[in-house]
Amino acid sequence: MTVAPIRRNILALTASRIREVTLAARGIDDLIALWFGEGDEVTPSFIRDAAVEALARGETFYGPNRGTPELRAAIQRYLRRTYGAEIDLDRIVVTASGMNALMISVQCLVGHGDSAVVIGPVWPNAENAIAAMGAEVRKVELEPQPDGAWRLDLERVIDACDATTKLIIVNSPGNPTGWMASEAELRALLAHARARGIWILSDEVYGRITYGVPHAPSFVTLAEPGDAVVVVNSFSKTWSMTGWRLGWIVAPPELTVVFEKMTEFNVSHATTFAQAGGVAALDQGDAYVAGLVKRYAEAAELVYERLSPLPRVRIPKPHSAFYAFFRVDGMTDSFAYAVELMHRAKVGLAPGAAFGPAGEGHLRLCFAASLSKLSRALDRLVPALG
Ligand SMILES: Cc1ncc(COP(=O)(O)O)c(C=O)c1O
């Protein structure tokens, strides 16, 4: 049989190494899986009910590419209330998830011959989107500090940019590191991007999962309407809606018109009745989010208390997102070690290497789980890592 060619850069994309570990888990009974980036709570009922009511009203038809007017207005209200940001409706586009928002942004902003600078270690999907478009990924790694925290060297980001660079991707708060850029760092990135005419793609899906402050510094408040800045957000993490596939973009009006077109060619628009759930999440969800973040803060404390005394482990105290990303001294192959831990301790963790070479030597534990489940997992992990 003659097989017609498939684009080479698509074939070269690697599958997720986290999924690879999970495949190796088949047949292990009583495994506690903390490898994926999602909470273990069902979406709260006030959000589910709003979608059910939309279905009952017959909201099953095509809608606008940019999202329903109701959801776009709710996003505008949410950004005003939470960030004090006044964002015109023509800067808001609803997407079918944060990932869809990243992909559409990358499709519109980079192509063959272009390069994009990605600050890592980071969840690898955005750089895979860049590679899928045939552009070059230039990774600038955060620098590990002696206490296990991560630091951005802005000069290295600047040095990585040249005439081919169209985009800088920053994910703060970051998956897997929990690194949170300061407002000064975001301002410095913006000044650099403005001076060089480079887009910033800011992935802020963990922007509300912060411990001690109401939200992470955001380009929503720092960028002017005409700045070449795209802010991506998602309902997945903050409102426990991973399966809904719903997110949004804030961008300059000139770009949202183009996003609207690309949305038509990707998914046409986010699911109509899911968007009704999104309105409820934004308009009625503040108490829910506060409770969720409080619980995650307790979980972060528990994981830190149990793992930080271990002599081989270097773990920073998590201040944002819902991951413990810790170094294990002497571990050189995080993939093999994660598989070994799965068999020995019956706990599933993500290998640091899944987030690029700078993640090697680390493991990622998602603590968005009940405290009882986490305690059981830690009872197994502590002796195994000791
Ligand atoms: C950093 C980061 N960005 C974006 C996403 C995408 O989220 P979703 O596509 O569920 O909205 C994730 C999900 O894990 C993430 O960790």
Side-chain angles (χ1 to χ4, degrees), residues 73-160:
I75 293 168
Q76 185 184 49
R77 284 193 292 278
Y78 169 77
L79 294 174
R80 183 183 297 137
R81 185 175 76 244
T82 311
Y83 292 89
E86 199 49 58
I87 306 293
D88 287 343
L89 285 171
D90 64 357
R91 296 179 61 203
I92 298 172
V93 178
V94 175
T95 59
S97 79
M99 184 61 230
N100 178 230
L102 289 171
M103 188 71 214
I104 287 173
S105 306
V106 168
Q107 284 171 338
C108 292
L109 300 177
V110 300
H112 281 281
D114 296 334
S115 67
V117 171
V118 178
I119 299 172
V122 69
W123 186 62
N125 287 29
E127 59 202 85
N128 280 331
I130 293 162
M133 294 308 294
E136 180 197 346
V137 176
R138 294 189 183 162
K139 202 83 176 279
V140 172
E141 306 289 2
L142 298 165
E143 295 181 345
Q145 303 300 291
D147 62 356
W150 298 81
R151 200 184 67 84
L152 175 67
D153 182 347
L154 196 73
E155 285 305 314
R156 293 184 42 228
V157 175
I158 293 172
D159 288 348

Side-chain angles (χ1 to χ4, degrees), residues 270-302:
T271 303
T272 309
F273 48 87
Q275 294 186 62
V279 173
L282 295 177
D283 281 348
Q284 302 164 46
D286 287 356
Y288 173 77
V289 174
L292 188 81
V293 172
K294 185 166 175 285
R295 185 161 76 74
Y296 288 167
E298 286 164 12
E301 197 69 39
L302 174 69

